[in-house]
Amino acid sequence: VTTDHGYVEGSAPVWEHHGTDLARASGADHARTLAATQQRGALSTLALDPPGHPFGSVVSYVLDDGGHPLMVISTMAEHTRNAAADGRASLMVSEPVAEGADPLASGRVTLLGTLGRVPDGEQAAATAQVVAALPGVGVYAGFSDFACWRLAVTHLRWVGGFGRMSWIGVDDYLGATVDPVLPRAAGILAHMNADHADAGVLLCGRAVARDDLERATMVGADRFGVDYEATAAGGVHHAVRIPFPEPAGGVDDVRRHLVAAVRAVRDPDSHA
Amino acid sequence: VTTDHGYVEGSAPVWEHHGTDLARASGADHARTLAATQQRGALSTLALDPPGHPFGSVVSYVLDDGGHPLMVISTMAEHTRNAAADGRASLMVSEPVAEGADPLASGRVTLLGTLGRVPDGEQAAATAQVVAALPGVGVYAGFSDFACWRLAVTHLRWVGGFGRMSWIGVDDYLGATVDPVLPRAAGILAHMNADHADAGVLLCGRAVARDDLERATMVGADRFGVDYEATAAGGVHHAVRIPFPEPAGGVDDVRRHLVAAVRAVRDPDSHA
């Protein structure tokens, strides 16, 4: 059995972990945040002909208050006919992939569940919720062959990037938080690594109590803190979590927390 | 049964068609061109748990010479485990959607077929073909858990935009042409409608033998010609096909053909 991504025993790099058990956005938070910040996904249903063949199509959607996708679709569309006969379905949503970037390194989530027509009594409100988020849908939402359908999520598959993945139960998903920092993480990482590489070496050096770190790259950011990968002389790698004193409400809070943390290392006597 | 997109009988606009039976890129050409010009799609497979539940994931792919998608995937990935147990699968590919545009107006194609591991004797060549088109895949193509798989296409569902759709048989797909103009059509339409609206009125007026056209909008372009929607005084709509004298090999040929066609109307005695 080869589930090792090809590492020969003993050749894998040596990693030491610091603070990686501190609070962080959960896989469910990642999944819920990704689903909440996108509006277009790939719907998989079971075809009528040949029966049971998996069939992919494109849909625009919004999440209802519980995190279940709502979509306004036509009875003329294959996916609607498929779902009317067998509601088993999934919606796959992926982060936008930058030009030239490896799509396997981007986050994506597959919401599995049952796709069914919203009951008549809830049609108007559900449709209005979709149209409010997707004004283009308003053009055809009133056509007699369109109606609002809902994917009642039962479980999820989340992939956070190359090698980071998990199954997520519906209870964890329904209780998850839309993280205000995660959708901006790519920009935060790019900025910090390009313009403030010294801050990473400083913060990680303090965290691991070493003064021989050669570089530190920010690899993650969420409302609870940021993650670095640092390399010391001799090639030992350090996975370092820098926690925030309180959850960040957005990018401005992240900046404020990081500035204060750097100041506290540089000038321990200041009252940052 | 409501399959009418909500038109009340008698309220639909009146359309006259001119040259719309002339040569044009087929649905199979559209589908093959779209699949050939993209490198990322949504794969639908049948989950192991719960068994038979449609499962969507993201893959990078390239078409082999026959038009069947090749992908280098890991045995650790859900879609690979799914396909190993039941090869029924589909790959959905969509045109990039411009910011703010209606995704239902964009083209997409779903290739249905059987996903199977490429035989050992063809692994090296098939993997090399994928890596040549997707250099990022080379990073992990050599890992022992990765291998090249092929979706043997059996039939397709093509949607050319809102209301244009068809099922396509595999023979039509395998015999289809990657159209050199279709991938550039959006740019051609935007340019012609913004900067050369007068040319459209001129060409359509000649085609339908009317001098009361109020406007003409280019709505399609392929290697065989371009499509206009023109409106005459009184509100009659004309769907007009302007054919090229020979298939265009690219955007430069389209420009040359259109310039010559306009010159022939404006100055019938010239030898354009």
Side-chain angles (χ1 to χ4, degrees):
Chain A
V1 179
T2 54
T3 54
D4 57 358
H5 278 304
Y7 282 130
V8 176
E9 196 175 347
S11 73
V14 175
W15 279 92
E16 295 190 2
H17 295 261
H18 306 265
T20 46
D21 54 342
L22 296 171
R24 62 173 53 250
S26 67
D29 288 344
H30 277 266
R32 181 76 175 261
T33 302
L34 177 51
T37 50
Q38 302 299 313
Q39 299 188 314
R40 187 172 190 238
L43 186 68
S44 292
T45 52
L46 296 173
L48 295 173
D49 181 27
H53 201 105
F55 181 85
S57 58
V58 62
V59 288
S60 293
Y61 73 93
V62 297
L63 296 188
D64 69 12
D65 297 339
H68 304 284
L70 294 173
M71 54 200 83
V72 172
I73 52 182
S74 167
T75 52
M76 297 171 68
E78 291 297 314
H79 48 220
T80 314
R81 295 185 212 179
N82 294 346
D86 187 332
R88 288 180 289 172
S90 71
L91 177 67
M92 192 271 289
V93 176
S94 57
E95 287 177 346
V97 178
E99 185 74 24
D102 180 356
L104 286 191
S106 67
R108 59 262 193 201
V109 61
T110 303
L111 312 178
L112 294 91
T114 304
L115 182 60
R117 193 177 185 280
V118 169
D120 285 346
E122 304 166 24
Q123 270 291 325
T127 299
Q129 189 172 353
V130 175
V131 172
L134 301 167
V137 172
V139 176
Y140 45 82
F143 290 172
S144 54
D145 56 313
F146 278 83
C148 191
W149 290 58
R150 178 173 178 270
L151 179 65
V153 176
T154 54
H155 58 303
L156 306 81
R157 176 72 174 174
W158 170 67
V159 181
F162 194 75
R164 293 171 61 207
M165 54 195 71
S166 68
W167 286 100
I168 295 170
V170 68
D171 290 341
D172 286 342
Y173 175 73
L174 298 180
T177 297
V178 176
D179 190 291
V181 175
L182 283 176
R184 307 287 296 277
I188 293 169
L189 270 52
H191 170 64
M192 291 299 294
N193 291 328
D195 300 339
H196 302 288
D198 54 333
V201 170
L202 197 72
L203 292 173
C204 292
R206 165 61 58 97
V208 307
R210 295 184 69 140
D211 58 7
D212 64 343
L213 294 187
E214 294 177 343
R215 60 180 178 279
T217 304
M218 190 183 284
V219 296
D222 60 48
R223 66 192 186 280
F224 296 116
V226 297
D227 296 299
Y228 278 98
E229 291 181 2
T231 305
V236 175
H237 299 283
H238 298 266
V240 182
R241 176 74 171 176
I242 307 291
F244 299 148
E246 61 193 44
V251 172
D252 288 346
D253 283 348
V254 172
R255 183 181 299 114
R256 189 167 55 77
H257 288 319
L258 289 173
V259 166
V262 168
R263 188 177 298 144
V265 178
R266 286 206 170 119
D267 180 9
D269 298 327
S270 79
H271 301 275
Chain B
V1 180
T2 54
T3 55
D4 56 0
H5 278 303
Y7 281 130
V8 176
E9 196 175 348
S11 73
V14 175
W15 280 90
E16 296 190 2
H17 295 261
H18 307 265
T20 45
D21 55 342
L22 296 171
R24 62 173 52 250
S26 67
D29 289 344
H30 277 265
R32 180 75 174 262
T33 302
L34 177 52
T37 51
Q38 301 298 315
Q39 300 188 312
R40 186 171 190 240
L43 186 67
S44 293
T45 52
L46 296 173
L48 295 173
D49 181 25
H53 202 105
F55 181 85
S57 57
V58 62
V59 288
S60 294
Y61 73 93
V62 298
L63 296 188
D64 70 12
D65 297 340
H68 304 285
L70 294 173
M71 54 202 81
V72 172
I73 53 181
S74 166
T75 52
M76 296 172 66
E78 290 298 315
H79 47 221
T80 314
R81 295 186 212 179
N82 294 347
D86 187 330
R88 289 180 290 173
S90 71
L91 177 68
M92 192 271 288
V93 177
S94 58
E95 287 176 347
V97 177
E99 185 73 24
D102 180 357
L104 286 191
S106 68
R108 60 260 193 201
V109 61
T110 303
L111 312 178
L112 294 92
T114 305
L115 182 60
R117 194 178 183 280
V118 170
D120 285 346
E122 305 165 24
Q123 269 292 325
T127 299
Q129 187 172 353
V130 175
V131 172
L134 300 167
V137 173
V139 175
Y140 44 82
F143 290 173
S144 55
D145 56 312
F146 278 84
C148 191
W149 291 58
R150 179 173 177 268
L151 179 66
V153 177
T154 54
H155 59 303
L156 305 83
R157 177 72 174 175
W158 170 68
V159 181
F162 195 75
R164 293 171 62 206
M165 53 194 72
S166 67
W167 285 100
I168 294 171
V170 69
D171 291 342
D172 286 341
Y173 175 73
L174 298 180
T177 297
V178 176
D179 190 292
V181 174
L182 283 177
R184 307 287 296 277
I188 294 170
L189 269 52
H191 169 64
M192 291 299 294
N193 291 329
D195 300 339
H196 302 288
D198 55 333
V201 171
L202 198 73
L203 292 173
C204 291
R206 165 61 58 96
V208 308
R210 296 183 69 139
D211 58 7
D212 64 344
L213 294 187
E214 294 177 345
R215 61 180 178 278
T217 304
M218 189 182 285
V219 295
D222 60 47
R223 66 193 188 279
F224 296 117
V226 296
D227 296 299
Y228 278 98
E229 291 181 2
T231 305
V236 176
H237 299 283
H238 299 265
V240 182
R241 177 73 171 177
I242 307 290
F244 299 147
E246 61 194 43
V251 172
D252 288 346
D253 283 349
V254 171
R255 184 181 297 114
R256 190 167 54 78
H257 288 319
L258 289 174
V259 167
V262 167
R263 188 176 297 144
V265 178
R266 287 205 170 122
D267 180 9
D269 299 327
S270 78
H271 300 276

